[in-house]
Amino acid sequence: MSHPIINDMQAKMKKAFEHTLHEFSTIHTGKATPAMVESVTVEAYGSHMRLKECAAISTPDARLIQIQPWDKSLLKAIEKAIQQANLGFNPIVDGAIVRIPLPDMSRERRLEFVKTANKLAEEGRVHVRNVRRESLEALKKAGLPEDEMKRSEKEVQTLTDKFTKDINDHLAHKEKELLAV
């Protein structure tokens, strides 16, 4: 029987963890993933839309991203948006499809991405620790009996350690993936 504050804290920590994993998925590892371009903003129909809202994004092989707009009149806008996003990609319009071949990454570029992954992981860990601090303050204000407070503090620390370890494990996996040639 967990305290509602702890349940809320666990949900917030899970959200921070999932956000960190999503950010990891946007880091270019040499393998094509739709997440690398899906948040690119395209000017379509007089407004700005994310690429995934106006096209189907697929990866037919590990070195190619393929974008098929639902409206073929958006081809040039998609090409322009990808170039302006400054992702290091050179889109090629091929009939009704935009193809993005992924360039090989240099050792320096891979190390840059490792630094980015470390920064994202640290942001995730900081967010988890902030949630822990907020939850401990809320538990103190709740006026719990001393023994229940001690048990709750221990549970808060256990959850914090679990989410921090999960972020570190995923970071280690991402680093290994980035440094593999």
Side-chain angles (χ1 to χ4, degrees), residues 23-29 33 36 113 116-117 120 174 178:
E23 292 296 312
F24 280 171
S25 74
T26 63
I27 297 176
H28 176 38
T29 60
T33 62
M36 296 163 84
F113 284 130
T116 303
L120 293 171
K174 191 67 173 183
L178 283 165

Side-chain angles (χ1 to χ4, degrees), residues 28 30-33 36-37 58-67 79 82-83 87-94 97-105:
H28 176 38
K31 289 184 187 152
T33 62
M36 296 163 84
V37 295
S58 61
T59 52
D61 65 51
R63 313 277 314 140
L64 182 72
I65 299 173
Q66 192 168 290
I67 302 165
E79 179 186 28
I82 292 168
Q83 288 170 340
L87 299 170
F89 300 144
N90 190 20
I92 301 164
V93 176
D94 182 13
I97 294 173
V98 178
R99 298 182 195 279
I100 304 172
L102 298 186
D104 286 331
M105 290 197 305

Side-chain angles (χ1 to χ4, degrees), residues 33-50:
T33 62
M36 296 163 84
V37 295
E38 67 185 13
S39 61
V40 170
T41 306
V42 179
E43 195 169 323
Y45 312 114
S47 67
H48 293 278
M49 303 171 76
R50 290 195 320 234

